[in-house]
Amino acid sequence: MHGLRWLPVAVTAALSVALLPASAAQAAPRVVRIHHIQGAAHISPLNGAAVAQVPGVVTAVSTNGFWMQDPRPDRSPATSEGIYVFTRNRPQAAVGDAVRVDGRVSEFRPDGGAAGGLSRTEIDATATKVDAHGTRPPPALVLGAGGLRPPGVIDHGLGDVERGGAFDTRRDALDFYEALEGMRIELRDAVAAGPSSDGELPVLPSGGAGAKPRTARGGILLSDGDANPERVILDDALAPLPGMDVGDRLPGANAGVLDYSYGDYKLLLTATPRRAPGGLVREATRAQRPGELAVATAGLDGLSPDAPAARFDAAARDIVDGLRSPDLVAVSGLGDNSGADDDGTVADDQSVAQLITAISAAGGPAYDWRSVDPRDNADGGRKGSNDRVGFLFRTDRGLAFVDRPSLADPVPDEPPARPDAAVTPVRAVPRGGAAGLTLSPGRIAPGDAAWAGARKPLAAELTWRGRRIIVVANQWFPRTADDQPLFGRRQPPSQPTQWRRDAQARVVAGFVNTVRKVDGRARVIVAGDLGDRGTSAPVQTLAQGAGLADLPAELPAELPAGDRYTAVTAGNAEDLDHILLSQSLRGNRHEFDVVHRSAEFADRAGDRDPTIVRIAVAGR
């Protein structure tokens, strides 16, 4: 029951009561209809009031309540005719029953009173009388072509949308959907804009007609100022949903009741729809040519030996089949040898061995690995997993990793011992007329507050056919529940984790600038999971502050906007993974690609698509 997330009765009652005015307890019941309760607002004008004999026809039933809709609507498009009736236990009423309800109006916020989501208007029932059985429910309103269409933007100004202000269903998508809360809604010929995940499926009505900007593969792109309110999130709270990839379709008409929970309006279908495959296939890029250095990114999402073998096989196929065995892969999210077991393990040699073995089994070349073991539970993520960034590299095409200290050197028995790489910051120093590193691999400012509870970026010194290159692998602080939802009560939504990433961007940019100070023509690549789109403040801070070119934005002719995304979040396609080049490398012939293999598919929903750049770098 993902969509409604049913809570224990005591918790549910407490959350509802918390939103009631203190003066409501002694008010006499009022005989009203549903549209009077819903009102033209996000908070009911009768919030906290006792109501009696509220009529409706039951349209859907849950484990602790039901939805009903008034068969005699008013003429206002701003007032919903549907509502959820909370009965605490399984209701006696059934779909098609004509009922009258006594109870108290409340606003239920399933994620807590202080959360950023909107509330759901409901009646906490004290009595329900069934007047008739087998009543035809009111007809469903159609969303999409030939029916209702939401406004293209959220236009609610600044502040809390539940604290008054204009309520305009023609201009504001939040108001549009609020005016349909609890009502029967129908979609026709919907197409999946994102993969099925956790019991939810984002779709576009009417085959996506009128929705834009679309991706080249059938999804929809997130852009500044446009949260894509044409998306509809289907939820499996009332009926199972089929597993679907982007571009799969739900032919014909499918109806349900519109609900709100955890940051989104959601359509709870009352019957399982039929799936028509869209035929989406996983992409593969071209192989690098002689003289081209291929550098890629790959997210492994905590991959460790306790993961199923199929996950290692999928990661190996991404590298071998999708990326065509690049020379260097900036990896994020490799877990330690014991996975999520919080047993003090930080070493990753077993995780690495299993991954490299899977790559070999998939027909790939021999790879080696470099990383720095973190301090236990110091880098965020799942407790005990100790996910880290690192470098997979092959040495059969002219690439060599420069180890500092050299792995061939014996470990000193007495001070000065080798530096503790987990806490020692890497620095740029002159080496042979070019910029080199004091540690390779080495962590960038691991003690800086920007990296508290987060993955530390890793810098490495490599040579490509004799030419020195500095590469930085990243996995910046992720989005969390502290970020307010796009369809939440506060507009524009606050994104506090972006401030963390902006601070991290400044640290990485500062390090790149120290490299450039040593050698103004240093070849630098910054790559990985930056957690933000190319137009965001953190990515712009990094690119502009360090004189780097963010390749998705720099190559519109080679990579059209419809291909510039590495993640799909609730149906919104966005570019969260990046490769940035210094000006000395940007001037070389290069080609960038996002290889769509993960984010659009239900079997890997939540994973990121890998990226790759091929750079023509001549040897000495």
Side-chain angles (χ1 to χ4, degrees):
M1 292 293 185
H2 174 77
L4 296 181
R5 301 180 188 252
W6 309 116
L7 300 178
V9 170
V11 176
T12 305
L15 288 174
S16 296
V17 171
L19 295 176
L20 300 181
S23 61
Q26 304 302 320
R30 301 175 60 179
V31 178
V32 294
R33 303 189 79 89
I34 293 174
H35 49 257
H36 296 130
I37 296 173
Q38 289 283 12
H42 287 271
I43 298 296
S44 169
L46 299 180
N47 183 31
V51 293
Q53 303 293 297
V54 182
V57 176
V58 177
T59 57
V61 177
S62 74
T63 58
N64 58 2
F66 61 86
W67 286 264
M68 68 177 186
Q69 189 165 328
D70 195 331
R72 293 171 50 194
D74 64 6
R75 295 186 177 183
S76 171
T79 55
S80 171
E81 301 293 343
I83 199 166
Y84 183 70
V85 178
F86 176 58
T87 60
R88 290 174 174 77
N89 300 311
R90 182 169 289 278
Q92 299 299 310
V95 173
D97 285 353
V99 299
R100 283 178 288 162
V101 175
D102 297 346
R104 190 173 300 279
V105 178
S106 68
E107 295 288 340
F108 174 61
R109 204 183 311 278
D111 44 355
L118 297 167
S119 63
R120 175 180 70 196
T121 303
E122 61 182 38
I123 302 174
D124 291 348
T126 55
T128 301
K129 181 180 180 182
V130 178
D131 291 331
H133 301 294
T135 306
R136 183 185 297 275
L141 297 176
V142 176
L143 279 186
L148 301 174
R149 289 182 178 273
V153 296
I154 297 173
D155 184 28
H156 225 289
L158 303 177
D160 191 333
V161 304
E162 294 180 341
R163 293 183 177 274
F167 190 86
D168 191 339
T169 61
R170 297 168 299 177
R171 295 183 55 187
D172 191 295
L174 279 181
D175 298 346
F176 172 87
Y177 283 111
E178 177 66 22
L180 302 176
E181 180 188 73
M183 295 182 67
R184 295 188 70 231
I185 301 296
E186 179 179 286
L187 306 181
R188 296 173 181 171
D189 300 319
V191 60
S196 303
S197 178
D198 296 328
E200 296 182 354
L201 173 67
V203 300
L204 300 172
S206 309
K212 58 183 180 180
R214 302 292 298 278
T215 72
R217 291 161 60 86
I220 189 165
L221 287 164
L222 182 64
S223 54
D224 293 339
D226 183 2
N228 293 324
E230 54 267 63
R231 292 172 301 122
V232 178
I233 309 296
L234 306 184
D235 192 286
D236 69 353
L238 301 180
L241 298 174
M244 296 183 66
D245 302 331
V246 169
D248 289 352
R249 295 178 179 270
L250 301 176
N254 291 283
V257 291
L258 190 69
D259 194 49
Y260 183 94
S261 64
Y262 295 90
D264 270 309
Y265 288 97
K266 296 168 185 176
L267 184 61
L268 316 183
L269 296 186
T270 50
T272 298
R274 179 172 64 89
R275 168 183 175 263
L280 195 71
V281 298
R282 288 183 165 89
E283 286 189 340
T285 195
R286 72 164 177 85
Q288 58 268 30
R289 302 185 180 106
E292 288 183 329
L293 170 66
V295 178
T297 67
L300 300 184
D301 193 27
L303 189 66
S304 67
D306 64 359
R311 283 197 58 202
F312 281 92
D313 294 341
R317 288 194 300 272
D318 285 348
I319 292 170
V320 177
D321 299 335
L323 295 170
R324 305 297 293 273
S325 302
D327 300 291
L328 180 69
V329 186
V331 170
S332 61
L334 183 75
D336 65 29
N337 292 339
S338 64
D341 292 342
D342 189 16
D343 57 5
T345 300
V346 295
D348 64 3
D349 55 301
Q350 296 173 31
S351 302
V352 170
Q354 194 164 341
L355 176 59
I356 289 176
T357 299
I359 292 172
S360 179
Y367 275 91
D368 206 344
W369 170 259
R370 295 290 187 274
S371 186
V372 171
D373 289 341
R375 293 287 178 86
D376 190 32
N377 289 325
D379 283 9
R382 294 172 299 178
K383 190 175 182 181
S385 183
N386 291 311
D387 299 349
R388 80 278 322 266
V389 297
F391 299 98
L392 272 176
F393 62 97
R394 52 189 291 189
T395 59
D396 59 327
R397 297 186 66 250
L399 184 71
F401 201 99
V402 178
D403 292 297
R404 290 205 173 90
S406 172
L407 298 182
D409 294 341
V411 177
D413 294 327
E414 298 179 0
R418 287 186 177 180
D420 183 349
V423 296
T424 304
V426 62
R427 295 181 294 107
V429 293
R431 291 193 185 275
L437 301 178
T438 54
L439 296 171
S440 177
R443 289 177 141 194
I444 295 175
D448 193 288
W451 308 112
R455 319 287 196 269
K456 281 66 173 175
L458 198 64
E461 182 181 333
L462 303 102
T463 61
W464 168 254
R465 301 185 176 183
R467 294 187 178 271
R468 188 171 293 149
I469 298 174
I470 306 296
V471 184
V472 180
N474 298 266
Q475 187 177 16
W476 290 358
F477 195 79
R479 298 173 184 173
T480 71
D482 292 334
D483 293 322
Q484 295 169 1
L486 294 177
F487 277 64
R489 62 195 287 196
R490 297 180 180 90
Q491 295 295 327
S494 173
Q495 305 291 310
T497 65
Q498 192 175 86
W499 308 335
R500 287 285 306 268
R501 291 188 292 276
D502 194 61
Q504 293 172 344
R506 295 178 190 279
V507 175
V508 176
F511 171 77
V512 173
N513 285 330
T514 65
V515 175
R516 295 175 58 200
K517 186 175 181 180
V518 173
D519 178 4
R521 293 191 53 79
R523 302 174 186 87
V524 180
I525 302 173
V526 178
D529 172 7
L530 305 188
D532 257 310
R533 295 184 294 126
T535 56
S536 68
V539 177
Q540 292 290 306
T541 294
L542 173 62
Q544 297 173 9
L548 300 171
D550 181 29
L551 295 186
E554 291 289 321
L555 300 170
E558 296 177 17
L559 193 70
D563 274 332
R564 271 181 257 156
Y565 58 95
T566 64
V568 180
T569 308
N572 277 326
E574 48 186 340
D575 57 321
L576 302 183
D577 303 80
H578 301 261
I579 298 179
L580 300 94
L581 302 182
S582 62
Q583 296 300 317
S584 55
L585 285 174
R586 183 192 175 195
N588 292 33
R589 179 176 54 82
H590 57 277
E591 183 178 62
F592 176 77
D593 194 11
V594 178
V595 187
H596 302 298
R597 296 184 60 83
S598 302
E600 299 165 313
F601 296 89
D603 62 351
R604 299 184 65 181
D607 287 354
R608 300 287 184 78
D609 288 331
T611 67
I612 187 168
V613 62
R614 292 172 288 266
I615 313 169
V617 183
R620 285 181 178 169

